[in-house]
Amino acid sequence: MEADYRGRFAPSPTGPLHAGSLVAALASWLDARAHQGQWLVRIEDVDTPRCVPGADHTILEQLAQCGMVPDEPPVWQSQRGALYQQALDSLTTRGLAYPCACTRQDIARALAASGHARERHGELVYPGTCRSGLHGRSARAWRLGTRTDSRITWQDRLLGPQSQDVAQEVGDFVLKRADGLWAYQLAVVVDDAAQGITDIVRGEDLADNTARQILLQRALGLPLPRYLHTPLVLGANGEKLSKQNGAQALDTSEPLVLLRQAGAVLGLHPDTAAATPQDWLRQAVPRWAARLKNRF
Ligand code: GLU
């Protein structure tokens, strides 16, 4: 057990908690408690057009109703732009990040001309047009250069060994967007380090971002946290439950029911006799520890 364990739940306030995000919140809380560590909440509100006013406070209330209260006051990413700018400046000064003038159309055209159009999750893999400079055009976005050998391997505490060649599979990815907003990848890496996060526990849909984040941690000289990605909750159509596909906001008037459901997704079935969310959580901690035996 490490006394210096620091974990976090980092919701984007695009709506209230749903059954899927509660699983991630619960797993991160249990893992922190099982390590006798700290559990923080960070509101990831950098993608302002997707944020719903008031959803941040709703999420914090929902968590509290389920017995999960952060050990430190929550932070809001929208107030931390100066930190992200510092990190971007440091990468740019060292030639690791570069400004990019390309529109989506420019990228599509360059890819078509090279006959190497590659797409990933509906995004075109950037062909590297602006690596050699802007050639008189004005900067729109900033990207991390992935020129060097960028195969990243890492060990997920639940999923096991993982590997991704970021240059090949993702390409030079955006750190600051053309609309001036900070990209998730940069903000999350800067904040996890600034907050001393040792362990990241989050939904499996985010696992694919991990290699990019490790590449950034290395480029910025930051400590590498450990990772654990939790199973997703699937909707009736078999797709990942998300706010985007209409997941129901949780009714927290029955927090014990919600905790039991979220616990079942994690393979935890504490005593049904728990009278309060706090009781249920207390019983779930050793079960989580037992489930992750040898993966601490
Ligand atoms: N804000 C991200 C989301 O809600 C999660 C970020 C993370 O846990 O790394 O999808």
Side-chain angles (χ1 to χ4, degrees):
M1 301 276 170
E2 309 95 83
D4 61 355
Y5 178 111
R6 283 167 71 82
R8 57 27 166 217
F9 174 53
S12 304
T14 53
L17 281 184
H18 55 75
S21 42
L22 182 64
V23 170
L26 175 62
S28 65
W29 188 93
L30 288 171
D31 202 50
R33 289 295 172 262
H35 287 89
Q36 291 147 27
Q38 302 286 300
W39 182 71
L40 315 186
V41 174
R42 181 172 69 235
I43 304 291
E44 300 213 320
D45 56 347
V46 275
D47 192 353
T48 38
R50 287 183 57 231
C51 294
V52 172
D56 46 357
H57 293 289
T58 306
I59 291 171
L60 291 167
E61 267 164 42
Q62 291 177 303
L63 289 169
Q65 279 156 349
C66 291
M68 294 182 277
V69 178
D71 296 315
E72 291 176 9
V75 299
W76 273 256
Q77 286 192 323
S78 53
Q79 295 167 11
R80 300 166 69 83
L83 279 179
Y84 312 144
Q85 187 65 55
Q86 251 173 34
L88 179 61
D89 289 346
S90 142
L91 293 169
T92 313
T93 314
R94 289 179 293 131
L96 300 175
Y98 62 89
C100 173
C102 296
T103 61
R104 205 173 269 273
Q105 229 181 15
D106 294 332
I107 298 174
R109 231 181 272 129
L111 286 170
S114 73
H116 282 104
R118 273 184 297 144
E119 235 186 81
R120 186 170 173 279
H121 305 325
E123 284 264 335
L124 293 168
V125 173
Y126 185 62
T129 318
C130 293
R131 278 182 200 167
S132 59
L134 293 170
H135 304 295
R137 298 181 302 157
S138 13
R140 290 164 49 83
W142 265 261
R143 294 178 182 274
L144 187 82
T146 56
R147 267 164 280 196
T148 48
D149 175 26
S150 62
R151 175 159 293 282
I152 300 283
T153 55
W154 49 283
Q155 183 72 22
D156 186 282
R157 289 169 53 212
L158 260 193
L159 303 177
Q162 308 288 313
S163 164
Q164 185 181 67
D165 185 326
V166 182
Q168 276 298 315
E169 294 175 42
V170 185
D172 292 356
F173 58 91
V174 171
L175 303 174
K176 190 174 192 187
R177 299 170 13 175
D179 56 11
L181 298 177
W182 293 104
Y184 157 63
Q185 310 294 356
L186 182 69
V188 79
V189 159
V190 168
D191 281 338
D192 283 331
Q195 295 190 282
I197 300 300
T198 58
D199 285 78
I200 290 173
V201 175
R202 61 186 177 192
E204 204 176 307
D205 53 323
L206 294 165
D208 180 64
N209 295 285
T210 307
R212 266 170 283 177
Q213 293 169 13
I214 293 174
L215 204 58
L216 264 176
Q217 285 152 359
R218 286 191 189 160
L220 289 164
L222 302 173
L224 307 189
R226 293 183 303 175
Y227 288 91
L228 184 158
H229 289 88
T230 59
L232 299 182
V233 178
L234 301 181
N237 57 1
E239 276 183 21
K240 165 185 108 95
L241 203 60
S242 73
K243 291 159 208 161
Q244 283 73 42
N245 68 18
Q248 297 281 315
L250 291 179
D251 170 8
T252 38
S253 64
E254 298 237 50
L256 273 171
V257 174
L258 299 179
L259 286 171
R260 280 190 201 114
Q261 283 167 353
V265 175
L266 297 171
L268 305 174
H269 303 278
D271 204 343
T272 45
T276 63
Q278 286 74 13
D279 265 2
W280 189 95
L281 288 167
R282 208 170 305 117
Q283 293 176 26
V285 172
R287 285 175 159 90
W288 172 264
R291 179 154 152 54
L292 287 178
K293 212 157 60 153
N294 307 328
R295 303 189 207 190
F296 258 53

